[in-house]
């Protein structure tokens, strides 16, 4: 069988990549994802030459190149000029870092803090431009929310889920927020308002680093549990889970920029994503959660996050007892920022 002429793999790959880049007008950064994609395309080119007829090989390689490069390409961005953004919770963590980044990009940033004289507010005043406006806001106080609404109107010219062990209360609140945002995305679409949800992994924010805070929450849990419940689980069981929780926090990523970049893309992309999962391996974790059988999902979570020990009442030789089904040992009932994403 006579084979069709085939250009050299490197030359064809270069021509295809340049054509795709020009077609997509991609804003690509040289880094591991781009280098890995090019290496995979080169390997696929080698296989296609040997296993497929030329027309089929061309179709496969062109499709693979388009998919890979379109995934790596930054989507078209909206202009920054004259845009204002309201960010709550700028005392620390993601809110503070996002406020600084957006201010440097030229946004008019309306940053809310709990304490106008706190360290976070002082840092924002010192390092940001005069465009940034600070406002005291406690989201539990209706008067503060109303004041923030009026403040926002005066500074703008137009209309502007995964269950992790030991994070039951926090995960429940985030799942509710994600459902609410999905509802908003439908209801606000006729107004031209697009809604995105940022669900980050474990990042080293100030609250994550505050080990004393987690110790106080553990002591509060021990002091507030009914005597029968504490006897059923055992104080050593709670200490064990607390140690596992602190160990997971020590693995938190120190660089907050993936979350800040996701927020900026959601603000500026002409077609923002419905969900953003910034964090190492988080996309794989959500894939496992949504698409694998329940037994495998549970085994994955227990293997990689929590090494369980038995509650005292379930250990051999202990008196038989049935722990209350609604007992949720959550060391983080109301954290300031997310150590792990939850839905």
């Amino acid at each position: 069988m006579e084979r069709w002429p085939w250009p050299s793999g490197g030359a064809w790959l270069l021509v295809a990549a340049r054509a795709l880049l020009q077609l997509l007008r991609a804003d690509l950064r040289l880094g591991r994802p781009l280098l890995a994609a090019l290496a995979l395309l080169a390997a696929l080119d080698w296989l296609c030459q040997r296993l497929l007829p030329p027309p089929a090989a061309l179709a496969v390689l062109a499709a693979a190149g388009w998919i890979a490069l379109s995934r790596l390409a930054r989507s078209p961005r909206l202009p920054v000029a004259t845009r204002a953004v309201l960010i709550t919770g700028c005392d620390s963590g993601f809110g503070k870092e996002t406020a600084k980044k957006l201010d440097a990009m030229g946004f008019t940033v309306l940053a809310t803090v709990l304490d106008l004289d706190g360290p976070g507010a002082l840092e924002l005043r010192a390092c940001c431009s005069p465009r940034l406006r600070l406002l005291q806001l406690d989201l539990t106080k209706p008067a503060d929310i109303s004041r923030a609404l009026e403040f926002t109107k005066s500074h703008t010219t137009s209309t502007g889920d995964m269950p992790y062990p030991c994070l039951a209360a926090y995960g429940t609140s985030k799942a509710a927020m994600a459902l609410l945002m999905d509802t908003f995305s439908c209801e606000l679409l006729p107004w031209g308002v697009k809604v995105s949800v940022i669900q980050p992994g474990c990042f080293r924010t100030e609250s994550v680093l505050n080990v004393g805070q987690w110790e106080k929450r553990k002591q509060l849990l021990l002091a507030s549990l009914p005597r029968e419940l504490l006897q059923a689980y055992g104080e050593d069981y709670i200490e064990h889970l607390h140690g596992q929780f602190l160990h997971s926090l020590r693995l938190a990523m120190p660089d907050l920029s993936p979350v800040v970049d996701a927020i900026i893309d959601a603000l500026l992309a002409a077609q923002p994503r419905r969900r953003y999962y910034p964090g190492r391996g988080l996309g794989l974790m959500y894939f496992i959660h949504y698409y694998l059988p329940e037994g495998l999902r549970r085994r994955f979570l227990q293997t990689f996050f929590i090494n369980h020990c038995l509650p005292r009442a379930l250990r051999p030789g202990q008196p038989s007892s049935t722990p209350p089904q609604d007992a949720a040992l959550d060391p983080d009932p109301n954290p300031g920022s997310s150590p792990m994403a939850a839905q």
Side-chain angles (χ1 to χ4, degrees), residues 39-336:
L40 289 174
L41 287 175
L44 182 62
D45 174 49
W46 182 84
L47 288 173
C48 287
Q49 291 187 52
R50 286 155 179 78
L51 300 179
L52 296 176
L58 282 170
V60 170
L61 195 57
W66 185 87
I67 293 172
L69 293 177
S70 63
R71 294 284 293 180
L72 292 172
R74 178 183 293 174
S75 58
R77 292 290 183 89
L78 300 174
V80 172
T82 73
R83 292 186 177 270
V85 58
L86 172 69
I87 309 175
T88 60
C90 294
D91 298 86
S92 63
F94 302 134
K96 183 181 69 176
E97 295 304 316
T98 303
K100 292 194 292 186
K101 182 69 176 290
L102 292 178
D103 176 76
M105 293 174 64
F107 278 89
T108 297
V109 178
L110 312 179
T112 74
V113 293
L114 282 173
D115 185 0
L116 287 173
D117 297 319
L122 294 177
E123 181 180 345
L124 289 175
R125 286 195 186 98
C127 68
C128 293
S129 73
R131 289 188 307 274
L132 184 132
R133 300 287 189 270
L134 287 172
L135 173 67
Q136 185 172 359
L137 171 63
D138 185 340
L139 287 173
T140 65
K141 298 179 179 179
D144 281 13
I145 296 175
S146 299
R147 187 170 64 253
L149 176 60
E150 296 304 319
F151 181 82
T152 303
K153 288 181 178 178
S154 67
H155 286 84
T156 54
T157 57
S158 59
T159 306
D161 23 308
M162 186 184 300
Y164 289 97
C166 294
L167 287 176
Y170 186 69
T172 302
S173 68
K174 292 304 180 185
M177 183 195 73
L179 179 60
L180 178 64
M181 293 302 105
D182 285 342
T183 304
F184 282 172
S185 67
C186 296
E187 294 180 348
L188 298 178
L189 189 60
W191 299 87
V193 177
K194 298 174 182 176
V195 178
S196 297
V197 178
I198 314 295
Q199 296 180 283
C202 189
F203 286 86
R204 199 170 296 171
T205 58
E206 284 84 345
S207 63
V208 169
L209 295 175
N210 191 351
V211 178
Q213 169 186 254
W214 307 119
E215 180 65 25
K216 289 180 181 178
R217 292 185 184 277
K218 184 198 70 176
Q219 295 299 334
L220 178 62
L221 175 66
L222 290 172
S224 61
L225 281 177
R227 183 175 60 86
E228 296 82 3
L229 187 60
L230 183 58
Q231 288 179 346
Y233 279 97
E235 188 170 341
D236 59 335
Y237 176 85
I238 297 175
E239 290 285 354
H240 174 79
L241 288 187
H242 181 69
Q244 292 282 309
F245 180 74
L246 292 181
H247 174 71
S248 69
L249 296 186
R250 286 194 289 270
L251 302 178
M253 291 173 280
D255 181 14
L256 305 186
S257 62
V259 180
V260 175
D261 291 343
I263 295 172
I264 293 172
D265 188 77
L267 285 171
L268 293 180
Q271 297 296 330
R273 301 179 193 172
R274 180 171 161 268
R275 289 282 192 276
Y276 289 84
Y277 302 113
R280 187 170 50 239
L282 204 61
L284 174 62
M285 292 162 59
Y286 274 97
F287 174 83
I288 291 172
H289 172 65
Y290 283 118
Y291 298 107
L292 292 189
E294 182 180 354
L296 292 178
R297 297 201 308 263
R298 187 183 302 114
R299 182 176 301 177
F300 171 78
L301 289 172
Q302 292 177 346
T303 300
F304 288 94
F305 292 99
I306 297 296
N307 181 17
H308 280 291
C309 69
L310 284 175
R312 179 187 295 166
L314 299 180
R315 297 171 195 166
Q318 295 293 327
S320 177
S321 176
T322 303
Q325 294 182 355
D326 294 334
L329 299 180
D330 187 349
D332 184 17
N334 186 26

